[in-house]
Amino acid sequence: MSQENLSNSAGPNCLKRSFGMREAVTITAGSVIGVGLFTTGSNVVGNLGVEVIFATLLALLVSIYPALLYAEMGAALPYAGGTYQFASLGLGKAVGVLAGWNFIISLVAVTGGEALAFSYYFKTLCLAFGWQIPLSNVAVALIVTIGFIIANVFGVRLTGRLQNGLMFFFWGVAAIWFLTMIPNIELPNFVKSPEFIAKDKDFTFIGAVCMIWWCFAGFEACVAMGEEIRFPKINIPRAMFLAPFVVFCVNALFQWYLIGITPVEKLASLATAEAPYAEAMKAAGIFGFPLALLAAGIAFGGDFSTLNASISTTPRYLFTMARDGAMPKIFAKVSRRYQTVIWKLYKPVHS
């Protein structure tokens, strides 16, 4: 959409503002509370030990400034495909298209990784009850991905309700898990310095901050759906300000617990573990309900919330680029019934 048309975007080819403040926060936080936290963000614990908390704090500080920039730009230009819009107007359409496709490719990768992560934790949950799933990880991942694509077809209202439910489920399960894990916390773990920590600690620490920052990347999700957020000049800045702190609190709490429950001699193995929390609990001899609870929270809360957010934000970039003439016009069609940019792929729409 050209700059002169940005101020007059009402019409059949525009999206409906259905998200409130709650959805803006959950879609943003849910985009990053998932595979990053429970893989990369926890693998770093195996490299740094207790120092990972300081690395996570530094990653938060690095994230605040760009989050505030997105808050300002999102409030000024509350339209679909935020990063594409900002780059196009500031640096030209070619740079905007490049930025838009970078975002799309990254979300496709996140969706695939998150779906596979769900498969692993879902199977872990089933094994805790003695069930064996006769499907490969790829098959399970494909099934849940198709499921969320279908759910997003039916409009942004359903997307928002799903996201709220998934995130509150995750936070509720996490709170219960934290409480059940308190008796298993070994406070001496926080004052011991494991022998495996590399001698070149500066490089290790900087590298760890970069890896943990990946757990914060993607906090601009609500800006990608800015055209569907009510009162965007208020809700977008608030969501962008809150999201990094929400992500930090969740990351830091889980990392603190991971250090507390993992035997010091087993800490190094977390650096290469596919599911560090499950491996840590097994190493500490924690099975049964706590392990099943964690797997359920990660699979149906963290992983699902990221899948829902990633699948819903990607089409908004194709939509806004098509509306601006950078993609075929078919991607700029909007269903009157569902007010969605995905339904067009399955059913004739009105333009």
Side-chain angles (χ1 to χ4, degrees):
M1 180 179 283
S2 61
Q3 186 171 5
E4 59 269 19
N5 291 331
L6 279 171
S7 59
N8 186 23
S9 61
N13 233 33
C14 296
L15 304 176
K16 185 177 181 180
R17 298 196 181 277
S18 302
F19 276 5
M21 175 65 183
R22 182 169 51 190
E23 289 80 11
V25 172
T26 57
I27 204 79
T28 302
S31 296
V32 293
I33 295 178
V35 68
L37 166 60
F38 297 109
T39 54
T40 303
S42 46
N43 287 144
V44 174
V45 174
N47 294 321
L48 286 185
V50 72
E51 293 182 13
V52 71
I53 304 299
F54 300 103
T56 302
L57 178 60
L58 185 55
L60 166 67
L61 297 177
V62 172
S63 300
I64 290 175
Y65 181 65
L68 294 178
L69 289 179
Y70 269 100
E72 291 288 340
M73 293 186 291
L77 299 169
Y79 303 98
T83 301
Y84 164 78
Q85 297 284 9
F86 307 152
S88 294
L89 294 176
L91 301 172
K93 185 178 290 188
V95 177
V97 171
L98 178 62
W101 275 106
N102 281 339
F103 194 88
I104 291 171
I105 292 171
S106 67
L107 284 177
V108 170
V110 167
T111 300
E114 202 68 52
L116 288 171
F118 165 80
S119 177
Y120 184 89
Y121 278 104
F122 177 66
K123 287 188 173 183
T124 299
L125 175 62
C126 292
L127 288 174
F129 292 97
W131 303 332
Q132 183 73 39
I133 303 298
L135 294 173
S136 68
N137 288 336
V138 173
V140 175
L142 183 61
I143 291 171
V144 298
T145 300
I146 292 173
F148 275 104
I149 291 175
I150 294 173
N152 274 270
V153 159
F154 292 97
V156 71
R157 287 188 178 179
L158 178 59
T159 298
R161 290 170 183 169
L162 270 177
Q163 193 68 13
N164 289 339
L166 294 170
M167 286 305 301
F168 283 107
F169 172 78
F170 171 77
W171 288 328
V173 169
I176 297 172
W177 186 80
F178 290 148
L179 291 174
T180 59
M181 284 295 99
I182 289 176
N184 299 289
I185 296 295
E186 297 291 340
L187 293 179
N189 291 359
F190 296 96
V191 295
K192 294 179 181 178
S193 180
E195 297 179 358
F196 65 80
I197 293 180
K199 294 181 180 180
D200 190 3
K201 295 179 65 175
D202 291 338
F203 177 79
T204 301
F205 185 80
I206 294 173
V209 171
C210 294
M211 295 300 291
I212 292 174
W213 185 83
W214 187 60
C215 300
F216 289 82
F219 51 74
E220 72 279 10
C222 76
V223 174
M225 303 183 73
E227 197 164 315
E228 293 157 287
I229 296 176
R230 298 192 302 268
F231 309 112
K233 295 184 183 300
I234 298 173
N235 288 332
I236 290 179
R238 287 180 178 176
M240 292 305 304
F241 180 78
L242 287 173
F245 291 96
V246 171
V247 175
F248 169 76
C249 291
V250 174
N251 279 11
L253 273 172
F254 270 100
Q255 289 168 346
W256 190 88
Y257 271 84
L258 184 60
I259 294 168
I261 66 175
T262 307
V264 175
E265 64 274 11
K266 299 288 186 178
L267 207 58
S269 64
L270 300 182
T272 55
E274 291 183 356
Y277 287 87
E279 295 297 330
M281 293 179 71
K282 292 176 182 178
I286 305 171
F287 299 96
F289 175 73
L291 181 58
L293 184 67
L294 177 68
I298 294 174
F300 295 104
D303 292 337
F304 269 12
S305 67
T306 304
L307 276 170
N308 188 49
S310 299
I311 290 173
S312 63
T313 52
T314 302
R316 273 66 187 177
Y317 276 81
L318 295 173
F319 168 78
T320 195
M321 286 193 287
R323 193 169 57 181
D324 205 18
M327 287 287 291
K329 289 295 184 182
I330 184 65
F331 290 102
K333 300 290 184 177
V334 177
S335 167
R336 289 181 182 174
R337 180 177 181 183
Y338 295 102
Q339 204 67 29
T340 178
V341 299
I342 305 178
W343 186 247
K344 64 182 180 300
L345 300 177
Y346 301 90
K347 184 177 180 179
V349 297
H350 305 279
S351 60

